[in-house]
Amino acid sequence: MGPAPARLGDGIADVETPALLVDLDALDANIAAMAAQVRRSGAVLRPHGKTHKSAAIAALQLAAGAVGLCAQKVSEAEALLPSGVGDLLVTNHVVGARKLERLCDLARRVRLTTLTSDPGHVGWLSDAARAHGVEIEILIEIDAGDARMGLQQPDALPDLARAVDRAPGLRLRGLQVYNGPLQHMRDHGARRQAAHEAADRAERARDVILSLGLACETISGGGTGSFAADLERGLFTEIQAGSYVFMDEDYGRNLDAAGEPFRPFTQSLFVLTTVMRTPNPGCVYVDAGVKALNLDCGMPGVHGRPDLAFTRASDEQGRVEVLPGGRAPALGETLHLVPSHCDPTVNQYDWMVGVRGGTVAAVWPVNGRGCLI
Ligand SMILES: *Cc1c(COP(=O)(O)O)cnc(C)c1O
């Protein structure tokens, strides 16, 4: 791990940059707002830990009533254990002998659920669970409409559900239905309709499972872009939103029902960067580049500075241009960048600096950083 960029009690000016900054008041408000909305609907919240990869933030979500956490990788799930979580869902198809062994180790420590959509894979999961003397709970993942993940042939569902039900060491718990691209559909009506269509698919699949005389107690899915439509539709028993804790520029490009930028939560995540060169009045260079950001969804925003535009990044520096009529930041001045895509930006950092009222109030490790396996 790299050195921590700040100490408790530091002011923002003391933080060494580039640094991943979390506004703790905004974080708390986002955690409370999502918890309240899901609770009111009668569903439960299982936030996705791939966004923050932080045991400390997972603990805050659990304290606010989350039933457990999602993780995308087995190692990421392991990294969340210091939060005290007792119920984990690995939202992926875990393949390979070593990974399955680690999955079974996890199943000894927490209630563990994972996904499948393939009869051959059911055999692997069952063999591993039996060999290690554990029970693994299973959600059958069905295609949510984007033909990206999950079972794409509804006709194959009865045999798959029976196979899971009969497999020693496995328990059929229900369905997973998550459509990633739909979370980022800009138009509110289109996003809502796609979410309802995903729920319709889940409803048909649930009815097939029930018609076999099997139980389907959990239907898990939904994200930050779809959760309101998912709760309104009332089919999901469990919501898996992740990005809501931080938000990002890309989610800010979604529109709400009135056609305004979608801002149900407050931006809490920033990359703090320092101006290190001011070569001419029209642009400055800052110390955050490709290795401090993530640019798959575009350039970061510059928080509170509509007169500036982050236009280009090289490995270790970024170019910030001064728009007409704008004020060029001075050498040594810091800027708060708004990441364009929160999850992979977090994965660039060993540490997260929590700030409250201008003072560093937490320095948290990003426990799951680099947990790709
Ligand atoms: C990323 C992800 C989520 C969370 O989505 P957000 O848009 O970040 O809220 C939920 N479920 C699965 C399977 C995911 O991959």
Side-chain angles (χ1 to χ4, degrees):
M1 278 171 92
R7 286 179 231 146
L8 293 180
D10 278 353
I12 300 234
D14 303 317
V15 177
E16 288 194 65
T17 64
L20 194 66
L21 230 59
V22 180
D23 176 330
L24 295 177
D25 288 336
L27 176 77
D28 288 347
N30 291 346
I31 289 174
M34 181 64 90
Q37 289 188 66
V38 176
R39 192 179 310 116
R40 265 200 304 279
S41 76
V44 296
L45 180 62
R46 179 186 294 279
H48 214 301
K50 79 178 201 222
T51 306
H52 53 67
K53 293 174 171 282
S54 158
I57 295 179
L60 295 175
Q61 293 172 313
L62 293 167
V67 288
L69 270 293
C70 296
Q72 198 65 20
K73 301 296 181 81
V74 178
S75 58
E76 191 175 82
E78 289 165 348
L80 295 173
L81 288 174
S83 66
V85 64
D87 187 335
L88 283 165
L89 167 60
V90 178
T91 53
N92 215 333
H93 287 54
V94 179
V95 174
R98 287 264 174 92
K99 282 195 177 70
L100 286 164
E101 196 176 317
R102 295 214 332 276
L103 189 73
C104 291
D105 280 342
L106 265 178
R108 263 189 218 106
R109 307 176 65 173
V110 298
R111 178 181 187 185
L112 185 85
T113 308
T114 191
L115 311 183
T116 195
S117 60
D118 178 307
H121 186 228
V122 172
W124 282 49
L125 288 163
S126 174
D127 289 348
R130 242 181 351 170
H132 293 87
V134 296
E135 183 181 69
I136 299 176
E137 306 204 33
I138 300 293
L139 299 180
I140 292 179
E141 183 172 31
I142 61 161
D143 174 24
D146 57 342
R148 194 172 63 123
M149 301 182 294
L151 186 70
Q152 292 182 21
Q153 299 80 20
D155 293 352
L157 180 59
D159 283 347
L160 182 65
R162 283 195 206 96
V164 174
D165 180 59
R166 287 196 204 114
L170 306 185
R171 191 177 88 83
L172 177 61
R173 182 169 174 187
L175 293 166
Q176 160 86 5
V177 194
Y178 177 75
N179 184 329
L182 107 72
Q183 306 303 324
H184 305 273
M185 284 183 179
R186 303 310 179 203
D187 179 68
H188 179 266
R191 201 163 64 243
R192 177 168 177 264
Q193 188 186 337
H196 286 192
E197 281 167 15
D200 292 344
R201 286 166 178 263
E203 188 165 44
R204 288 194 291 273
R206 179 201 62 187
D207 291 346
V208 167
I209 291 176
L210 296 178
S211 75
L212 300 171
L214 303 176
C216 183
E217 72 199 43
T218 299
I219 303 178
S220 196
T224 301
S226 72
F227 78 96
D230 296 327
L231 295 177
E232 165 194 77
R233 176 66 173 68
L235 186 82
F236 290 115
T237 65
E238 199 172 273
I239 296 292
Q240 306 181 348
S243 302
Y244 74 97
V245 287
F246 293 148
M247 299 305 282
D248 55 31
E249 283 279 293
D250 190 80
Y251 260 125
R253 289 193 273 271
N254 277 11
L255 301 176
D256 66 14
E260 298 293 324
F262 165 80
R263 304 229 188 280
F265 304 101
T266 309
Q267 185 66 40
S268 70
L269 186 75
F270 303 94
V271 169
L272 188 71
T273 188
T274 303
V275 175
M276 55 180 187
R277 284 190 296 120
T278 60
N280 65 60
C283 88
V284 302
Y285 285 86
V286 295
D287 62 3
V290 173
K291 292 181 185 174
L293 296 164
N294 196 79
L295 306 175
D296 70 320
C297 295
M299 294 295 153
V302 187
H303 183 68
R305 293 297 304 267
D307 58 332
L308 301 177
F310 189 108
T311 54
R312 220 159 66 198
S314 50
D315 270 17
E316 309 284 7
Q317 59 179 330
R319 177 183 165 97
V320 175
E321 294 186 31
V322 184
L323 299 175
R327 175 182 70 76
L331 184 68
E333 193 170 330
T334 54
L335 298 173
H336 285 66
L337 303 179
V338 179
S340 54
H341 188 181
C342 56
D343 322 53
T345 301
V346 169
N347 193 51
Q348 305 276 38
Y349 289 87
D350 288 324
W351 301 95
M352 231 181 256
V353 178
V355 175
R356 208 184 293 277
T359 301
V360 173
V363 181
W364 290 325
V366 180
N367 310 73
R369 182 187 184 188
C371 283
L372 301 178
I373 60 173

